[in-house]
Amino acid sequence: MHDSLYRAPPEGGLLVAPLDEFTAVYHRASGITHLLTEPAPQILAILGDGALSLDALLDRLARDYELTDGDLTDGDCTNGTRAALAARLAELVESGLVERA
């Protein structure tokens, strides 16, 4: 089965401002500001470098940010890390911050 590729908006499409536990992300195309928590800002940062598959993104998150199952699942690891990341990506796609390539 073909694994989808995911990408963030083009450079300059997002204005990002860290705010303590949250990160404010202004999406220029929609005019909407989103408040995100880990690992969403990290996902956007990685996908800003180029489109990646879910597995490649999971590898980069683990390597670059040392995120754990708890970071991806809010403490509920029953679905596993890959499924949790897929759910986070689906949320970001629905919000318009990430698109399938």
Side-chain angles (χ1 to χ4, degrees), residues 6-92:
Y6 298 89
R7 66 175 172 222
E11 186 175 337
L14 301 176
L15 179 60
V16 179
L19 305 169
D20 295 324
E21 293 178 24
F22 293 93
T23 299
V25 177
Y26 176 70
H27 185 230
R28 291 180 194 272
S30 68
I32 297 173
T33 300
H34 303 266
L35 288 178
L36 307 177
T37 59
E38 287 188 356
Q42 291 84 351
I43 291 170
L44 291 175
I46 290 171
L47 293 179
D49 293 339
L52 292 173
S53 68
L54 186 137
D55 289 326
L57 177 59
L58 187 58
D59 289 343
R60 285 278 308 272
L61 284 167
R63 184 186 76 215
D64 295 355
Y65 296 101
E66 299 178 12
L67 295 180
T68 65
D69 282 347
D71 293 324
L72 291 169
T73 62
D74 296 328
D76 178 11
C77 300
T78 58
N79 291 333
T81 305
R82 189 176 193 279
L85 179 57
R88 294 287 183 251
L89 280 170
E91 292 168 359
L92 290 168

